Amino acid sequence: MDTPIAVNIADVSKSFGQFEAVKNVDLQLKQGEFFSLLGPSGCGKSTLLRMIAGFEDPTEGSITIDGREMKGIEANHRPTNMVFQSYAIFPHLNVEENIVFGLARSGLSKGEKRAKANEMLEKVGLAGLGRRGAHELSGGQRQRVALARALVLEPKVLLLDEPMSALDKKLREQMQMELRALQRSVGITFLMVTHDQHEAMTISDRCGVMFGGKLAQVDAPEILYQAPRTKQVADFIGGMNFIEGQIGAHEGGSLEIDLPVFGKVSVDEHGVSERAGAPITIGLRPERIHVEKNRPEGADVFAEAEVVDRAFYGETIHYYLALNGRKDPIIASITNFERREHFEIGEKVWSGFRGAAAVALPQD
Ligand code: ADP
Ligand code: MG
């Protein structure tokens, strides 16, 4: 049986005066999944989240949670809870009191509330810290308290708005893995908003990418990365080289594309329906470009190139390759293996790629 739907967002739009912040969004969140809304600042992520929480009303469309229409239902009566970027925990209360606070109207006895709070503290890795003052906590610990406080109410959906943006990089990466583990252990649907593509990709079952109020693509992280549907998505998720060419022919699921410099290459059709002669762009991830001293054996197409710049990242090296007949250099990312040959700026090399590594992107 299909996983039940936790949240159904049907043709939802939101205008602030003349300005349309969210445009005709259709999205279904499955029960128990970790879903991220990803996109640049100002694209409407928080507005969409706030409509689910009940802090904003949609101008058009409908939101149902667990099959229940949310129109007219106040935020505090919705089966949702929100974790904010600024954790908003009470500084004058201790950890346990902060968590119990949310249970004020739950009808539970004092002892039951404490037991629940402590169970939650254990889940977020703060066992034994119930008596600690909120002001005595590190940023990461405050974040965990905020999570525990939101989860102790057992919402159907936990909404998280850039929950880790106030943490430094190392701590953020650690929290990402913990958040993922916590979500699996409680089994609640998580909807997180972030502008950080790495964060979204590493944690989520699925991501929705938004630009200018519209949902551009919804897919699992691997698919977003390997098969972005538009240039905008391709460019936003990781590094991407774009090479313009012309469609030669369609051949049973493949496209023959004529590229300047590289010549003819066959790539997956990827839903591109334009006819022969139409312009087309292919996207190539930097790690899919071969750079070798001699003509690459494993590539379907290749061309001579010159290294015009390089950047050392530790685990990888990026080479900027100038090709005759192409204005912008292409970027190749090479894993920094032991005994791998390295190239100098100014060195003549060969670059190439396999057709299977390229993604055909329709003209925007
Ligand atoms: P994101 O979370 O993706 O950064 P937001 O959803 O916060 O973006 O905002 C989307 C757009 O809507 C922005 O241009 C923002 O300025 C605008 N906006 C958000 N809330 C309001 C509001 N209450 N009144 C007017 N404009 C708003
Ligand atoms: Mg926001």
Side-chain angles (χ1 to χ4, degrees):
M1 209 180 92
D2 284 348
T3 316
I5 301 303
V7 180
N8 188 23
I9 299 166
D11 202 18
V12 164
S13 300
K14 175 69 183 177
S15 298
F16 297 108
Q18 293 294 310
F19 178 73
E20 209 177 11
V22 171
K23 301 174 186 169
N24 306 100
V25 167
D26 281 305
L27 176 64
Q28 298 190 322
L29 306 184
K30 296 177 203 161
Q31 221 164 71
E33 80 173 327
F34 200 130
F35 192 98
S36 292
L37 278 172
L38 174 65
S41 180
C43 72
K45 306 179 295 294
S46 293
T47 302
L48 188 54
L49 201 73
R50 292 170 56 79
M51 287 192 281
I52 298 168
F55 301 134
E56 301 278 1
D57 291 324
T59 312
E60 277 171 66
S62 117
I63 296 172
T64 56
I65 302 178
D66 238 13
R68 235 173 95 212
E69 169 62 49
M70 287 293 123
K71 197 178 169 69
I73 297 179
E74 302 273 332
N76 57 349
H77 289 123
R78 294 192 180 195
T80 55
N81 223 323
M82 185 113 143
V83 176
F84 298 92
Q85 176 179 343
S86 53
Y87 323 121
I89 62 174
F90 301 115
H92 58 286
L93 300 181
N94 72 26
V95 167
E96 188 184 296
E97 289 161 347
N98 256 288
I99 296 169
V100 164
F101 184 85
L103 295 170
R105 287 181 304 162
S106 62
L108 297 174
S109 74
K110 221 170 174 174
E112 288 169 327
K113 285 185 208 168
R114 287 197 57 186
K116 259 187 178 294
N118 284 302
E119 188 187 321
M120 229 33 255
L121 281 176
E122 201 156 305
K123 282 216 164 113
V124 300
L126 290 179
L129 292 189
R131 303 273 157 215
R132 195 60 83 79
H135 60 281
E136 298 171 286
L137 301 173
S138 69
Q141 289 171 329
R142 278 204 296 276
Q143 177 60 281
R144 291 189 179 94
V145 174
L147 276 170
R149 196 178 60 179
L151 285 170
V152 80
L153 296 168
E154 296 169 12
K156 286 273 189 280
V157 183
L158 186 70
L159 306 168
L160 307 108
D161 196 348
E162 310 261 3
M164 285 169 282
S165 56
L167 306 176
D168 62 48
K169 187 167 179 279
K170 258 238 139 75
L171 187 54
R172 202 163 67 218
E173 285 171 2
Q174 186 194 334
M175 278 299 292
Q176 287 165 4
M177 297 320 286
E178 286 184 21
L179 192 62
R180 181 74 183 117
L182 179 65
Q183 190 270 336
R184 286 197 184 125
S185 99
V186 294
I188 290 172
T189 308
F190 277 33
L191 173 57
M192 180 177 78
V193 157
T194 179
H195 65 276
D196 180 336
Q197 40 125 345
H198 291 292
E199 184 161 291
M201 305 249 288
T202 48
I203 311 189
S204 316
D205 296 310
R206 292 192 305 153
C207 308
V209 189
M210 283 182 81
F211 297 108
K214 286 191 185 149
L215 202 50
Q217 186 169 353
V218 176
D219 265 313
E222 297 80 2
I223 297 175
L224 280 180
Y225 188 80
Q226 277 154 24
R229 246 190 273 127
T230 67
K231 277 165 84 171
Q232 212 175 16
V233 173
D235 207 20
F236 190 73
I237 311 271
M240 186 68 108
N241 293 290
F242 294 110
I243 305 178
E244 322 281 327
Q246 207 179 46
I247 297 178
H250 288 259
E251 288 164 4
S254 291
L255 271 185
E256 192 185 70
I257 297 179
D258 221 336
L259 298 170
V261 190
F262 287 103
K264 283 193 170 71
V265 65
S266 175
V267 313
D268 192 282
E269 201 168 47
H270 195 44
V272 171
S273 57
E274 279 87 345
R275 291 173 181 285
I280 181 91
T281 302
I282 63 160
L284 271 168
R285 296 291 180 196
E287 69 273 18
R288 296 303 192 98
I289 301 206
H290 304 221
V291 188
E292 283 167 42
K293 193 65 208 168
N294 300 309
R295 214 159 84 169
E297 299 269 333
D300 293 336
V301 291
F302 32 79
E304 285 179 286
E306 182 184 331
V307 177
V308 290
D309 209 346
R310 104 188 148 163
F312 183 69
Y313 285 89
E315 71 273 39
T316 59
I317 302 170
H318 284 195
Y319 290 106
Y320 290 69
L321 305 171
L323 298 159
N324 252 336
R326 189 186 148 89
K327 197 167 116 278
D328 301 321
I330 58 171
I331 302 173
S333 157
I334 306 297
T335 307
N336 188 15
F337 289 132
E338 206 181 343
R339 286 202 300 274
R340 178 153 211 162
E341 60 179 336
H342 290 187
F343 306 103
E344 304 298 328
I345 293 173
E347 199 169 336
K348 297 276 193 284
V349 293
W350 283 85
S351 66
F353 59 90
R354 283 167 23 85
V359 56
L361 297 162
Q363 301 306 104
D364 289 328

